[in-house]
Amino acid sequence: MNNKLKVAIVGSTGYGGVELIRFFQNHPLVEITSVISSSSSGESIADGFPHLTGVIHRPLDGVDPAEIASRADLVFTATPSGVSAKLVPSLLAAGLKVIDLSGDFRLKDGTVYEEWYKHPAPPADLLEQAVYGMAEVYGEEVKGQNFISNPGCYPTATLLGLIPAVEAGWIDPSTIIIDAKSGVSGAGRGTSLTNHYAEMNENLKAYKLNKHQHIPEIEQVLGSITGTPVTVTFTTHLVPMTRGIMSTMYASLVGEHSDREIVDLYRKYYENRPFVRVREPGIWPSTKEVYGSNYCDIGFAVDPRTGRLTIISVIDNLVKGASGQAIQNMNLMMGWEENLGLNMTPVYP
């Protein structure tokens, strides 16, 4: 065990933290040395998550950067936005590697962060230092780094679906419309009308129209690829299921391209990237087909009548959209195989 990477998980009593624990049971090079909760310090994690009985034996630790640094080499901060901004500077100063799952370090402009997240921005030097960890696009930049900002769930599904076509110049970025749907676990474990059973069962609702905090993240990445500002229409919906995101995207084609050409473009772009699976023409993915896994599945439909391309991208919001991608980034940071500890077949049905 002494040769294993020692990791700590801050926010281990949230869904993202619990998923990290689940995947680390199968990671051959990692040892969990501290599970941390500011609200439940001293308690057993199995009190709140009985399915972890016998899995995590030590009680939950409090949030003490010096204590964390004495036990761990790398820390995952699976906290709400606004919390990591205050905590991460101390963790980095203590000499820890950090992978942040909140949204606090994804946006490079602190003014934009404050506008969309409604929290004071982290220090500008840390915003600049944080590497945006979308492994399939920026994997080379992640390698050997000490501080990674894990992408958001909606941006992961959306950007993996859009980037190859945008980069190739095959779609017009100014025409992008994104219709995204998520299971209720994306709202976290806290109780509210958002995830109340009677409110969500047999219901479908749109929320945060034109105000979702993931909009500037998507636009920032697309703008960095095109070299010019990109503005998108992005609408989110909650659907009555536990896990999963489907991002359906529409954009005007530049030139004429067939379904076959689109598939070939994406397969070449994601060649040797184990977690993006591109469907054959006429076959479109569903959320159940990636459930519990780190896969992103993508399908396409060209409409010659309208000159538009429809892209469908699905992920598990808690895995590829959060903890699985964080572990993928850790593997790249450490110079390990990208899929180490993540080769889980989706749970089906």
Side-chain angles (χ1 to χ4, degrees):
M1 297 293 284
N2 291 336
N3 294 325
K4 292 189 175 185
L5 180 73
K6 296 177 173 61
V7 303
I9 302 168
V10 178
S12 55
T13 55
Y15 290 144
V18 167
E19 280 293 85
L20 284 169
I21 292 170
R22 179 172 74 94
F23 274 92
F24 279 139
Q25 303 311 303
N26 296 300
H27 200 294
L29 300 180
V30 168
E31 173 191 3
I32 299 175
T33 56
S34 182
V35 286
I36 298 159
S37 172
S38 60
S39 61
S40 305
S41 177
E43 300 177 10
S44 168
I45 195 170
D47 291 345
F49 292 96
H51 75 288
L52 293 177
T53 299
V55 174
I56 298 294
H57 300 283
R58 60 174 295 114
L60 289 159
D61 295 317
V63 182
D64 181 336
E67 182 67 19
I68 296 169
S70 71
R71 294 179 180 172
D73 308 305
L74 184 151
V75 58
F76 294 86
T77 49
T79 65
S81 60
V83 175
S84 285
K86 300 174 183 177
L87 177 61
V88 165
S90 298
L91 296 173
L92 290 169
L96 287 156
K97 298 178 184 293
V98 176
I99 297 178
D100 180 50
L101 280 75
S102 81
D104 286 351
F105 297 92
R106 296 173 189 154
L107 302 178
K108 294 303 182 182
D109 187 328
T111 302
V112 174
Y113 171 85
E114 291 178 352
E115 176 186 352
W116 288 87
Y117 280 84
K118 312 304 181 187
H119 297 297
D125 61 324
L126 290 185
L127 291 178
E128 184 62 31
Q129 179 184 344
V131 176
Y132 187 70
M134 184 161 286
E136 284 77 14
V137 182
Y138 302 111
E140 291 302 313
E141 297 177 26
V142 169
K143 293 179 179 179
Q145 298 295 326
N146 292 324
F147 181 25
I148 304 299
S149 178
N150 214 53
C153 52
Y154 280 125
T156 296
T158 299
L159 290 168
L160 290 177
L162 286 171
I163 284 174
V166 169
E167 188 173 287
W170 287 15
I171 59 174
D172 180 353
S174 69
T175 66
I176 293 172
I177 297 173
I178 305 156
D179 180 334
K181 300 174 177 67
S182 175
V184 294
S185 62
R189 206 183 191 203
T191 55
S192 70
L193 287 179
T194 300
N195 51 13
H196 192 293
Y197 178 82
E199 298 284 333
M200 276 309 305
N201 184 47
E202 299 182 29
N203 196 11
L204 174 63
K205 56 173 99 173
Y207 70 104
K208 291 187 178 180
L209 271 69
N210 304 320
K211 296 180 179 180
H212 199 286
Q213 67 272 19
H214 287 166
I215 291 173
E217 182 179 344
I218 293 168
E219 293 179 343
Q220 175 179 270
V221 174
L222 293 178
S224 71
I225 289 170
T226 63
T228 58
V230 173
T231 303
V232 301
T233 297
F234 180 69
T235 303
T236 53
H237 307 78
L238 283 178
V239 297
M241 63 184 188
T242 302
R243 292 172 179 252
I245 283 178
M246 175 177 284
S247 189
T248 305
M249 295 151 279
Y250 311 92
S252 295
L253 284 163
V254 177
E256 295 184 3
H257 302 284
S258 67
D259 288 343
R260 179 77 264 166
E261 290 173 320
I262 299 289
V263 168
D264 290 345
L265 171 72
Y266 275 66
R267 286 186 172 167
K268 182 173 179 57
Y269 188 93
Y270 291 121
E271 189 177 12
N272 300 320
R273 290 300 187 184
F275 294 115
V276 176
R277 305 188 298 189
V278 179
R279 298 298 172 86
E280 281 292 305
I283 301 175
W284 304 288
S286 66
T287 57
K288 179 69 79 172
E289 292 158 4
V290 296
Y291 195 97
S293 80
N294 199 50
Y295 288 112
C296 174
D297 288 6
I298 308 175
F300 313 91
V302 171
D303 186 350
R305 186 180 63 86
T306 61
R308 296 182 70 84
L309 173 66
T310 300
I311 305 168
I312 297 176
S313 177
V314 300
I315 64 170
D316 184 314
N317 56 296
L318 296 178
V319 186
K320 185 60 173 168
S323 300
Q325 184 159 218
I327 294 171
Q328 190 177 356
N329 279 316
M330 177 197 69
N331 289 338
L332 289 168
M333 287 174 71
M334 301 304 298
W336 300 336
E337 290 295 323
E338 188 173 337
N339 56 355
L340 199 63
L342 289 168
N343 284 329
M344 289 190 181
T345 302
V347 178
Y348 197 95

